[in-house]
Amino acid sequence: MKRLDFLLNVTQVPADLLAVCHQPKADLYGTYQLYQFLVDSPLLYKVWMVDEYGDYWLEVNLIDDSGEPAFHTIKIDQDSYEQVEFEPYQVLTEPGKSS
């Protein structure tokens, strides 16, 4: 477990995902849509996990277009968010990693 004292404001979609924004059949199109949802949202997000590279992952749970629950995790690229100060909370780390 790791302790963080900030939330993430996702501010932009990474260039590699923007490249597929008009290609609904592309493998990364669903990831693009989720990232764009985060950018468009006025919400701040708690980090769900920090991986072995120090990258942040978010857990995003929502209702999809069919009215069904949709559960996602997504790695947030380092240049695509701002940190917003918040009270400390615990997040997961990769198995076997402690810090």
Side-chain angles (χ1 to χ4, degrees):
M1 297 292 271
K2 184 175 180 116
R3 195 170 181 85
L4 298 180
D5 60 357
F6 56 85
L7 301 175
L8 296 186
N9 175 28
V10 183
T11 58
Q12 63 185 16
V13 177
D16 62 331
L17 293 177
L18 283 176
V20 300
C21 71
H22 299 295
Q23 302 172 26
K25 294 185 180 184
D27 290 339
L28 291 175
Y29 187 73
T31 304
Y32 157 75
Q33 287 183 302
L34 183 58
Y35 225 112
Q36 188 65 60
F37 172 85
L38 295 171
V39 169
D40 292 341
S41 170
L43 300 175
L44 300 173
Y45 295 91
K46 282 186 175 181
V47 173
W48 169 68
M49 182 182 75
V50 178
D51 69 16
E52 67 270 21
Y53 304 106
D55 291 325
Y56 300 132
W57 288 74
L58 301 181
E59 176 182 37
V60 183
N61 303 313
L62 48 93
I63 301 297
D64 67 16
D65 292 338
S66 304
E68 296 295 320
F71 306 101
H72 305 277
T73 56
I74 186 169
K75 182 180 81 73
I76 303 301
D77 287 14
Q78 290 182 1
D79 295 334
S80 67
Y81 63 83
E82 300 171 342
Q83 294 180 359
V84 177
E85 189 176 326
F86 190 68
E87 59 190 52
Y89 61 99
Q90 298 277 345
V91 300
L92 296 173
T93 55
E94 282 290 311
K97 180 172 172 89
S98 60
S99 36

